[in-house]
Amino acid sequence: MRFAFLVHPVAESAASFKKLDEGGVLRKLWGTDPLRLTGALHKVVQRVMAEADDAPTAEVRVVDEMENLVGPSGATAHGRLYEVPMGAMAILEDPDRALGYIHQAVQQAADWGARIVGLGSMTGIVGGRGTVVAEQSAVAVTTGNSLTAYTALQNVFETAADLNIDLSKETVAVVGIPGSIASVAATLIAPHCGRLILVGRRASGPAQRLANQLSADFITDVAEALGQATIVVSATSSGSCIEQAWLQPGTLVVDVGVPTDVRGDAAEREDVLILTGGLVHVPVTMAQASPLLWFQHGMIPSCLGETMLLALEEREENFSLGRELQPEAVQEIGSIARRHGFDFSQLYSFGSPLCDEALVRFQKTRGRMKGRSAREASENSRPTAAATPKKLADRAAKLYARYINPVLMAMNGGSGLIETFVRGEGEYLYDAAGKKYLDFVAGFGSLNFGHNHPAIAAAVNTAIREQWPGFTPTSVNPYAAALAEKLVSKAPSGLEMVFFCNSGTEAVEASIKLARAATGRTGLLSCDGAFHGKSMGSLSVTGHPGYQRPFQPLIGDCQRIPYGDFEALERTLSTRRFAAFIVEPIQAEGGIRMPPAGYLREAQAICRSTDTLLIVDEVQTGIGRTGLTFAVEHEDVHPDAMTLAKSLGGGLMPIGAMLCRRELWMKAYGTVANCTLHTSTFGGGSLATAAGLAALDVLESEGLAENATRRGEQLLEGLTRIAKQFRCVKQVRGRGLLLGVELNPLQSNVKSHWLQIDPTGMARYIAAEVGQMIDAFHVLHAMQTLMQGHAIYTQFTRSNPLVLRIEPPLTITEGQTQEFLTAFEKTCEEIDFVVSIIAEMIAKTSVGKHDAAQRAPFTSADAAQ
Ligand code: PLP
């Protein structure tokens, strides 16, 4: 169905686009987002800029065409934007002349075949809010005000839900009574808010009646009303009636006025939140229907949205007319909008997308406000507010992006790579909808016992029930003592002293400090590709320059050699400068890299002959992961120091430990002055040691190291078979349940094609940054398919994104292992299929010619295939 929508001139904003781009700001912004680098967008900019030079003509004209809008049911609509040649102020000053142009525009639209005409914010005001136009028009008319009112309310509800604002405790002021949008908005928000204040210029009969009906106060002085309110919905037609200075700290304002009701064109205060109300986001497919919608990234005024929806629904009827809008009609158009994929959650402030910084500052103000109930304050930090699990999970993801890691969450986009898990049991994780996922990440090795192992959880619960002491610095904690004894009894001979801390990196710090203090040497030798942690000391011996660069200078006298290189080790240590050589039995984060057989034994011999300490980092390989309690046991190696963390806490508590030879400890800390030189407040706390004691028991009683061997062999065998079948797999490696599958990088011609198809030429500037991600395309594809298609959670190794880590809990069963293998086989089949299709397509396009020079150029015969 055809529809038309009337607007007043947009040339002013077009001119500001042009100004904005004088410094290349727009182009720069788009350059950072490859998804928007499209020829279509480029054309729109040029067109809008060209139009900025055109003075508005003195005639009604068509300024945009929305072709082929498609609704979810397949219904289509075709719309036009008609511009009347009068600005907003001119329309208010001379409504009769404006009405003349409006009639003209409606007539033109009717002649073109439009069966419904929507009036824009200004054109809707003159002529009795559409009633006069409707009377004289051959086609149906709407002001679109019902969807605008609905959107304004959604802006309030969305923000309140996001920030855990309990509307029933707030005073809400609705400004613009008895205007149509304000009146219906007041009616609909009344049941939700604490106190309601209606604000209007005069105490008219309709205004007073509405106030009585809603048990609201009526106030004519805007400043006075705002002094009492904390939520404001403003929808006047005169504009500029609210000074930002009048608002109380912690006030949320939704400004639906056109021109805007809040004065100023930028936020003047950090302690209030002013939203540009009335904007709704249409689905991408609809945004693509017109340059204007696309240029605004699909964010459109709701009055236009309502007109589009009525056309898509083929409802040729006068919908929102006059001063009295029906609450039922507002709800109805809202649910139609949602059915068509309209989104109300994207908020704008002063014409720009609302940024998280503004929300955080606003939230801080509300957090500090006196008089807010303790309940609301605590609900802000508790993920248990009354909400559906889905809403809870969505909010958690938003908060994660806002407070924890914006970039990681932005990169996830809609890819489904990052899930929100709300529960873990055994080998499974559960999302908010209750869907379960087989966990093949196991907290990067900290969940060898699975999630919430009952025996370990019971031990922690017992410690709480029996009131084991909390933290007792420089006193004796019997449970820490017991764990130290147990650890030493299981550790390789020679390791007799234990230092407790809370993480892997702290255990590594303890080991390298010990090495320097005990040997009097300063040099620390480690391996390329190693990962030992991210605090300054452990980062200094980590072999990943990318992790180190921003933090230089790190601690001095650290050197690296290639992993597994006997000769380099011997040559370097023969200088006798090094206090210690720190090494992982398998480089886990570095890409599940195995050293040559006998490497650790040889390293031990070289260390002994050069008086260098051998520190083995078992943070990830320890506690049964590779099939024995500690990976050093595979080669019967006896290090001078060994670091543990991750699964030592049984998957429930953070705990780390550094074990070392007694004489080294005594050399470093064996005097009255030195015996408390290296300590940790939380190290050896009761709950952590309770978990550690139970974890070591479970490892033994359930034979989990042995299970790691069996399941590891099953996986290696299956994965090796799959590797032979599919081109995307490069290599399978590892030991026990610390396995990795290295996938091949994306073919170079696909990468170069990606650069060549970009018409703006911007992609090549950002290619270096995203190059690594493009290389890891197969791994990302595998992770996504396993997660979304097979409900299996996997990750790549952090320092080598081409390697998919296969690291399930050691409790995994034969059946679960087979389930993974079946899913992985299907995933590889899918990847190979996708890659072959891409390669085929590239070969058939002109840009693919130099990659496939032998092939015939694209012909119509190819197209027919
Ligand atoms: N050492 C190794 C071998 C690790 O794998 C890790 C973490 O992955 C660490 C040290 C650092 O442990 P944390 O993250 O607990 O500091």
Side-chain angles (χ1 to χ4, degrees):
M1 179 169 144
R2 287 189 172 183
F3 69 95
F5 187 73
L6 310 196
V7 295
H8 55 278
V10 292
E12 213 176 291
S13 54
S16 68
F17 294 145
K18 186 175 177 182
K19 203 160 130 223
L20 185 61
D21 207 37
E22 266 164 14
V25 177
L26 278 182
R27 274 167 287 155
K28 196 162 145 232
L29 277 178
W30 291 334
T32 59
D33 185 348
L35 300 179
R36 297 214 175 108
L37 294 173
T38 66
L41 190 55
H42 198 64
K43 265 194 249 154
V44 176
V45 181
Q46 304 214 316
R47 179 171 155 188
V48 173
M49 286 178 184
E51 279 176 7
D53 293 331
D54 299 344
T57 59
E59 285 179 12
V60 170
R61 58 175 186 158
V62 175
V63 289
D64 195 27
E65 189 104 12
M66 280 163 257
E67 284 178 82
N68 202 24
L69 291 168
V70 185
S73 62
T76 58
H78 180 174
R80 275 184 174 177
L81 287 191
Y82 286 81
E83 182 189 86
V84 296
M86 287 175 77
M89 282 306 154
I91 292 175
L92 286 180
E93 279 158 19
D94 191 352
D96 289 342
R97 193 160 71 94
L99 206 52
Y101 282 127
I102 291 168
H103 283 307
Q104 256 183 45
V106 173
Q107 191 53 52
Q108 282 185 24
D111 293 345
W112 170 64
R115 283 155 59 193
I116 183 160
V117 177
L119 303 178
S121 48
M122 297 313 300
T123 53
I125 291 168
V126 292
R129 287 174 177 75
T131 47
V132 175
V133 181
E135 270 163 28
Q136 298 176 14
S137 158
V139 295
V141 175
T142 186
T143 57
N145 281 346
S146 295
L147 191 64
T148 303
Y150 182 84
T151 309
L153 292 170
Q154 295 313 304
N155 291 161
V156 174
F157 295 144
E158 287 279 346
T159 316
D162 186 0
L163 303 181
N164 265 340
I165 295 173
D166 181 352
L167 287 178
S168 71
K169 298 208 160 36
E170 305 286 325
T171 297
V172 177
V174 180
V175 184
I177 303 295
S180 59
I181 296 173
S183 298
V184 80
T187 306
L188 285 166
I189 206 168
H192 301 276
C193 59
R195 181 180 162 217
L196 182 63
I197 303 175
L198 305 186
V199 190
R201 245 186 298 186
R202 283 185 307 278
S204 60
Q208 205 56 62
R209 263 199 304 284
L210 188 65
N212 293 344
Q213 188 192 322
L214 301 178
S215 308
D217 298 318
F218 183 81
I219 297 182
T220 51
D221 183 330
V222 183
E224 183 192 332
L226 297 186
Q228 299 171 38
T230 45
I231 308 277
V232 177
V233 177
S234 190
T236 77
S237 51
S238 48
S240 296
C241 58
I242 295 177
E243 288 281 4
Q244 294 188 37
W246 295 342
L247 298 166
Q248 290 199 87
T251 299
L252 165 69
V253 181
V254 174
D255 182 357
V256 196
V258 177
T260 53
D261 287 337
V262 177
R263 281 184 217 166
D265 49 17
E268 290 163 12
R269 291 169 50 182
E270 292 186 350
D271 58 349
V272 297
L273 196 60
I274 300 169
L275 302 181
T276 313
L279 295 174
V280 65
H281 195 258
V282 298
V284 179
T285 47
M286 290 195 196
Q288 281 163 343
S290 105
L292 192 76
L293 300 196
W294 182 238
F295 189 71
Q296 304 194 13
H297 306 305
M299 205 72 193
I300 61 164
S302 295
C303 42
L304 168 57
E306 178 172 316
T307 317
M308 284 163 60
L309 290 168
L310 292 171
L312 282 166
E313 294 276 305
E314 309 239 343
R315 286 179 61 165
E316 204 178 325
E317 63 191 81
N318 295 334
F319 198 83
S320 310
L321 291 184
R323 184 155 276 171
E324 285 199 25
L325 298 177
Q326 300 309 312
E328 301 75 26
V330 171
Q331 302 288 22
E332 186 194 359
I333 196 76
S335 51
I336 293 174
R338 287 190 185 275
R339 187 150 47 76
H340 282 263
F342 281 37
D343 175 17
F344 299 89
S345 66
Q346 299 194 24
L347 302 175
Y348 269 56
S349 181
F350 293 97
S352 301
L354 179 65
C355 59
D356 269 345
E357 287 92 318
L359 270 173
V360 171
R361 288 192 292 254
F362 178 68
Q363 181 75 326
K364 278 174 101 68
T365 302
R366 287 191 65 89
R368 283 193 303 266
M369 266 161 58
K370 290 209 177 74
R372 273 179 74 219
S373 73
R375 195 180 67 95
E376 187 193 331
S378 77
E379 268 181 6
N380 278 337
S381 53
R382 223 169 1 110
T384 51
T388 62
K390 164 98 177 69
K391 278 206 169 138
L392 216 77
D394 287 350
R395 178 161 194 268
K398 255 194 207 172
L399 295 186
Y400 207 93
R402 189 174 302 155
Y403 295 113
I404 298 178
N405 197 328
V407 174
L408 192 69
M409 297 306 282
M411 268 174 19
N412 185 41
S415 68
L417 273 176
I418 299 182
E419 272 295 342
T420 302
F421 296 117
V422 297
R423 195 166 78 79
E425 187 184 344
E427 300 76 39
Y428 291 101
L429 281 159
Y430 294 79
D431 70 14
K435 180 175 171 185
K436 71 176 184 180
Y437 298 78
L438 194 54
D439 184 353
F440 259 63
V441 180
F444 294 162
S446 41
L447 291 164
N448 287 5
F449 307 94
H451 295 265
N452 296 301
H453 189 287
I456 304 171
V460 174
N461 281 330
T462 302
I464 295 172
R465 205 181 47 249
E466 293 181 356
Q467 302 194 322
W468 293 12
F471 304 100
T472 52
T474 346
S475 306
V476 175
N477 181 326
Y479 310 101
L483 181 59
E485 183 184 36
K486 194 161 196 158
L487 271 176
V488 167
S489 75
K490 289 183 176 296
S493 64
L495 298 179
E496 291 170 357
M497 299 295 291
V498 182
F499 169 78
F500 285 121
C501 51
N502 316 282
S503 62
T505 195
E506 285 171 81
V508 170
E509 294 290 340
S511 72
I512 59 183
K513 280 180 76 177
L514 173 96
R516 281 190 171 176
T519 63
R521 295 181 184 174
T522 55
L524 295 167
L525 187 66
S526 61
C527 292
D528 293 337
F531 185 80
H532 297 294
K534 290 183 178 169
S535 55
M536 276 296 184
S538 62
L539 185 62
S540 306
V541 291
T542 281
H544 190 305
Y547 287 162
Q548 297 173 322
R549 214 168 285 125
F551 309 106
Q552 298 284 3
L554 299 173
I555 66 167
D557 215 1
C558 293
Q559 199 175 317
R560 286 200 308 270
I561 51 168
Y563 186 53
D565 186 335
F566 300 96
E567 209 183 288
L569 183 65
E570 187 153 32
R571 194 176 352 99
T572 315
L573 290 190
S574 66
T575 58
R576 297 181 155 269
R577 293 196 309 103
F578 289 90
F581 172 54
I582 180 165
V583 65
E584 295 156 272
I586 296 174
Q587 285 191 341
E589 297 307 313
I592 318 290
R593 292 174 70 207
M594 304 273 290
Y599 180 58
L600 284 190
R601 261 196 150 252
E602 185 67 21
Q604 176 175 273
I606 298 170
C607 283
R608 297 274 141 86
S609 70
T610 55
D611 293 325
T612 313
L613 304 187
L614 174 66
I615 303 172
V616 177
D617 183 348
E618 291 255 18
V619 166
Q620 193 149 174
T621 48
I623 322 292
R625 173 64 46 195
T626 66
L628 293 172
T629 305
F630 306 109
V632 281
E633 295 171 45
H634 290 291
E635 292 188 13
D636 194 23
V637 164
H638 302 264
D640 299 295
M642 184 169 85
T643 52
L644 297 174
K646 296 203 189 265
S647 280
L648 182 58
L652 283 168
M653 299 302 297
I655 181 168
M658 191 273 299
L659 280 71
C660 68
R661 291 182 183 282
R662 171 175 296 277
E663 81 261 19
L664 296 174
W665 183 271
M666 294 312 285
K667 271 189 193 155
Y669 304 120
T671 65
V672 173
N674 290 352
C675 69
T676 54
L677 213 52
H678 188 71
T679 60
S680 159
T681 303
F682 292 135
S686 292
L687 297 190
T689 45
L693 283 162
L696 293 177
D697 280 348
V698 170
L699 184 69
E700 208 164 287
S701 65
E702 295 189 9
L704 293 182
E706 294 77 9
N707 193 50
T709 303
R710 282 193 298 273
R711 300 287 72 84
E713 280 165 3
Q714 185 186 351
L715 278 167
L716 260 184
E717 196 186 304
L719 290 169
T720 308
R721 183 179 50 77
I722 293 168
K724 285 193 190 128
Q725 258 175 289
F726 300 102
R727 280 190 301 168
C728 61
V729 184
K730 184 173 175 192
Q731 198 189 36
V732 178
R733 51 184 185 249
R735 180 173 229 164
L737 286 174
L738 188 59
L739 302 174
V741 179
E742 181 165 348
L743 299 185
N744 282 309
L746 193 65
Q747 282 159 267
S748 60
N749 65 336
V750 176
K751 200 165 156 181
S752 61
H753 178 261
W754 183 77
L755 299 180
Q756 287 162 358
I757 55 170
D758 161 38
T760 64
M762 293 306 298
R764 76 194 55 164
Y765 297 110
I766 55 169
E769 278 192 348
V770 293
Q772 223 198 353
M773 265 177 71
I774 299 176
D775 275 341
F777 179 82
H778 295 337
V779 175
L780 298 174
H781 189 149
M783 278 165 55
Q784 194 194 31
T785 305
L786 286 167
M787 180 97 105
Q788 301 303 331
H790 303 280
I792 298 176
Y793 170 45
T794 52
Q795 285 283 312
F796 53 83
T797 55
R798 302 321 287 184
S799 314
N800 186 349
L802 289 174
V803 179
L804 191 72
R805 66 203 303 155
I806 313 292
E807 198 174 357
L810 310 188
T811 52
I812 192 134
T813 64
E814 186 179 351
Q816 289 165 332
T817 307
Q818 187 50 49
E819 184 190 332
F820 172 81
L821 287 170
T822 307
F824 189 65
E825 182 166 355
K826 287 207 179 105
T827 303
C828 290
E829 190 180 344
E830 180 182 312
I831 294 175
D832 270 12
F833 176 69
V834 168
V835 170
S836 67
I837 287 193
I838 295 176
E840 188 76 358
M841 273 170 22
I842 292 174
K844 285 182 176 174
T845 62
S846 58
V847 284
K849 265 197 287 188
H850 21 250
D851 291 314
Q854 315 307 332
R855 289 176 187 252
F858 183 74
T859 65
S860 53
D862 289 324
Q865 280 176 5

